Amino acid sequence: MPITIRSIETAVPPTVLRQDEIRDVFAGQPDLNRLGGRLVRAAFDVSGIETRHTVVDELDHASAGLPRTDSEPPVFYDSASGEILSPSTGTRNDVYTDRSPALFLAAARTALDAVPDLDADDVTHVVTVSCTGFFAPGPDYAIVRGLGLRPSTQRYHLGFMGCYGAFPALRAARSFCLAEPDAVVLVVCVELCSLHLASSNDPDTIVASSVFADGAAAAVVTARPAPAGEAVLDLDAFETVLTPVGEKDMAWTIGDHGFEMVLSRYVPHIIEEHIAGALAPLLASVPGLADQPYGSIPRWAIHPGGRSILDKVQSTLDLSDDQLDPSRETLRTYGNMSSATILFVLRHVLHDQDPGAGGERVCAMAFGPGLTVETALLTHRVVDESEDGE
């Protein structure tokens, strides 16, 4: 039996950042020089983002200069002065520890509820992914306790992989299902990137501040048969490739005032130069596929690391606007939520696209530190009566 993604569901914090408003906040910081201010406006304006979500509630309506309604001193943003503050890494991580469990649970619970023939007792494995904070017992533990999963549920956490982290998690889920055909794996990605945004004149830091956001996504993976008529995504093949350059162009380090994110302006050019080579081993896994134009693959789920990255992928692979729509819509509405983002894109494919008779092939990819390119082939299809698990 094929190993399938039965559901993908998402969760975001309630505070919404409008890109034009938060641009003005960053552009108005007292530590910026004239060039820095111009770079902020340019980066935010060309990002392809309209809204993002954040757990930093202090930024709610920040550009309107609204006063805080509580008596606590500001931590991330002082509305009285309009200044973005620089709390310690420990303070930022305290907020991650406080706010991330609810998002892990919300996405996981919704994904499991979306598969009515499965419940908490069916889950055999939990795989969590995050690179924006740490605590122990960790999010894998919180999910087992919060959802009432069996104490024997196997738990795994993948940390600090960045934007491609969902791919190793899905690959692990597939391996668990191959080894144990009755396995049901819950994959949950949560990133609170906004905890680490900072004001700076550095161009790479400015680019990071213009795109990163907070969000959560979860998927249920299993080889158990699905009911007839249900749309699923089969996990067909995975590949990982390290490009020969780019190690310093996409990276994270832990500083005294947060995780320091590097998203170099050269990343789109690196991707443009090496994307064909990164895709080659994946396409070679299907006889004849490597000889076809890239556009012959009907559906694409590309991690929207930024608008320029999507532009380079589209032009290099000669893909249509429709093929990029799930990625661009995710970027426009949610920004770059690191590892969770590709699951938002795949949810778009799973729920909003008609696979037609016989299903459609989907090619997914994400980019991360290294520079690492993770790719996958999936099949989007509707289960027919011959497979019905009822």
Side-chain angles (χ1 to χ4, degrees):
M1 295 295 293
I3 297 165
T4 65
I5 297 178
R6 294 284 306 278
S7 71
I8 302 175
E9 297 298 338
T10 62
V12 291
T15 297
V16 179
L17 301 177
R18 290 187 53 84
Q19 190 74 339
D20 55 347
E21 294 177 352
I22 199 65
R23 172 203 63 202
D24 293 343
V25 171
F26 273 84
Q29 294 307 297
D31 62 323
L32 284 186
N33 56 35
R34 184 174 299 178
L35 176 59
R38 291 202 299 267
L39 290 175
V40 166
R41 291 183 179 89
F44 279 68
D45 286 345
V46 303
S47 65
I49 297 170
E50 293 179 2
T51 54
R52 293 183 274 170
H53 291 255
T54 178
V55 296
V56 182
D57 299 330
E58 294 170 351
L59 290 173
D60 192 14
H61 303 301
S63 67
L66 297 178
R68 290 173 57 84
T69 58
D70 57 64
S71 58
E72 295 296 324
V75 176
F76 291 90
Y77 175 74
D78 184 356
S79 60
S81 66
E83 185 176 357
I84 295 172
L85 306 178
S86 184
S88 69
T89 300
T91 297
R92 297 175 195 259
N93 196 68
D94 286 344
V95 178
Y96 177 91
T97 302
D98 179 64
R99 299 298 298 274
S100 67
L103 287 169
F104 273 105
L105 284 171
R109 181 178 290 111
T110 308
L112 189 57
D113 288 346
V115 188
D117 55 305
L118 299 175
D119 59 28
D121 285 339
D122 291 297
V123 176
T124 58
H125 301 70
V126 170
V127 183
T128 54
V129 183
S130 190
C131 64
T132 48
F134 302 93
F135 62 93
D140 50 311
Y141 172 91
I143 289 171
V144 170
R145 291 301 195 199
L147 297 187
L149 306 185
R150 292 179 296 170
S152 59
T153 303
Q154 296 185 42
R155 312 190 326 265
Y156 303 86
H157 181 72
L158 302 179
F160 228 63
M161 286 186 167
C163 296
Y164 68 82
F167 282 81
L170 291 173
R171 184 185 301 177
R174 184 174 184 270
S175 296
F176 296 147
C177 294
L178 285 171
E180 304 175 37
D182 201 42
V184 175
V185 186
L186 193 53
V187 173
V188 192
C189 303
V190 172
E191 302 292 4
L192 306 187
C193 304
S194 71
L195 294 179
H196 304 289
L197 299 184
S199 176
S200 174
N201 287 296
D202 176 70
D204 294 341
T205 303
I206 290 171
V207 170
S209 297
S210 72
V211 298
F212 281 112
D214 302 347
V220 175
V221 179
T222 185
R224 296 189 189 185
E230 181 179 310
V232 298
L233 288 167
D234 294 339
L235 296 174
D236 298 326
F238 290 88
E239 289 289 344
T240 183
V241 171
L242 283 174
T243 62
V245 295
E247 180 180 352
K248 296 182 179 180
D249 291 286
M250 191 181 291
W252 286 35
T253 57
I254 299 177
D256 292 337
H257 296 277
F259 296 175
E260 298 170 359
M261 298 176 281
V262 175
L263 184 59
S264 167
R265 295 163 293 166
Y266 299 106
V267 167
H269 302 288
I270 297 171
I271 291 172
E272 179 184 31
E273 184 175 353
H274 296 285
I275 190 171
L279 278 170
L282 179 75
L283 302 184
S285 66
V286 178
L289 189 59
D291 299 326
Q292 302 296 318
Y294 297 111
S296 66
I297 298 175
R299 302 295 176 191
W300 288 77
I302 301 162
H303 170 68
R307 196 196 76 175
S308 58
I309 289 176
L310 294 180
D311 289 346
K312 290 296 185 183
V313 171
Q314 181 172 8
S315 61
T316 303
L317 302 183
D318 194 23
L319 303 179
S320 70
D321 289 343
D322 285 346
Q323 287 170 314
L324 267 290
D325 182 66
S327 296
R328 293 197 189 276
E329 178 61 23
T330 299
L331 180 67
R332 180 165 47 251
T333 309
Y334 297 104
N336 180 351
M337 301 164 286
S338 193
S339 68
T341 320
I342 193 63
L343 291 180
F344 277 69
V345 180
L346 286 171
R347 185 187 186 279
H348 191 292
V349 174
L350 178 62
H351 288 282
D352 299 334
Q353 306 286 344
D354 181 4
E360 287 184 320
R361 191 175 297 282
V362 181
C363 185
M365 69 177 68
F367 320 96
L371 198 151
T372 302
V373 183
E374 287 280 349
T375 57
L377 284 175
L378 307 91
T379 300
H380 182 211
R381 63 184 177 88
V382 175
V383 177
D384 60 38
E385 292 183 359
S386 66
E387 302 173 75
D388 198 328
E390 293 294 324

